[in-house]
Amino acid sequence: QVQLVESGGGLVQAGGSLRLSCAAPGSIFSMYTMGWYRQAPGKQRELVAKITSGSSATYAGSVKGRFTISRDNAKNTVNLQMNSLKPEDTDVYYCDAEKIGLTLWGQGTQVTVSS
């Protein structure tokens, strides 16, 4: 019925950039808070960035100033521009859509940053 689809992951050298994109169904997008999370093996999934339906953004301290989250309501997408990537950013990145009483997740996209 509903799925989120992430894209844009890959392998990049430290200092490089990647742009992640998440496509969401139009029926759920406009009034949902959208977010990006990441999870490494053996660790808890953690918030990277989140953006409300009113385009108010929050970031994890570790990515603030390097990553930018944005949304395009016309295309039902949320993006994460990642600059100045570090090896510590290596993780599987997941898109989510949140509303009171409901959270939807994508399958994830791998980001690997080499030293």
Side-chain angles (χ1 to χ4, degrees), residues 67-82:
F67 293 8
T68 302
I69 189 170
S70 62
R71 65 192 297 157
D72 186 336
N73 291 334
K75 297 182 178 180
N76 299 326
T77 59
V78 60
N79 304 304
L80 186 69
Q81 179 66 46
M82 304 186 294

Side-chain angles (χ1 to χ4, degrees):
Q1 297 177 356
V2 176
Q3 68 175 6
L4 306 179
V5 181
E6 302 99 333
S7 62
L11 175 63
V12 65
Q13 292 184 340
S17 298
L18 286 172
R19 181 176 180 269
L20 306 184
S21 182
C22 172
S27 61
I28 71 164
F29 185 81
S30 63
M31 298 303 296
Y32 281 65
T33 291
M34 304 295 297
W36 287 97
Y37 292 73
R38 63 188 182 187
Q39 185 173 28
K43 296 184 178 180
Q44 297 295 116
R45 189 172 296 186
E46 64 178 0
L47 174 69
V48 177
K50 189 182 296 289
I51 185 167
T52 68
S53 60
S55 297
S56 178
T58 57
Y59 298 89
S62 60
V63 308
K64 191 173 298 182
R66 298 189 297 121
F67 293 8
T68 302
I69 189 170
S70 62
R71 65 192 297 157
D72 186 336
N73 291 334
K75 297 182 178 180
N76 299 326
T77 59
V78 60
N79 304 304
L80 186 69
Q81 179 66 46
M82 304 186 294
N83 298 326
S84 302
L85 283 162
K86 304 174 181 179
E88 66 191 57
D89 296 318
T90 295
D91 272 315
V92 177
Y93 284 70
Y94 298 88
C95 178
D96 92 320
E98 299 178 2
K99 184 180 180 181
I100 295 175
L102 178 66
T103 301
L104 304 175
W105 294 96
Q107 294 298 307
T109 185
Q110 176 70 49
V111 171
T112 302
V113 184
S114 62
S115 301

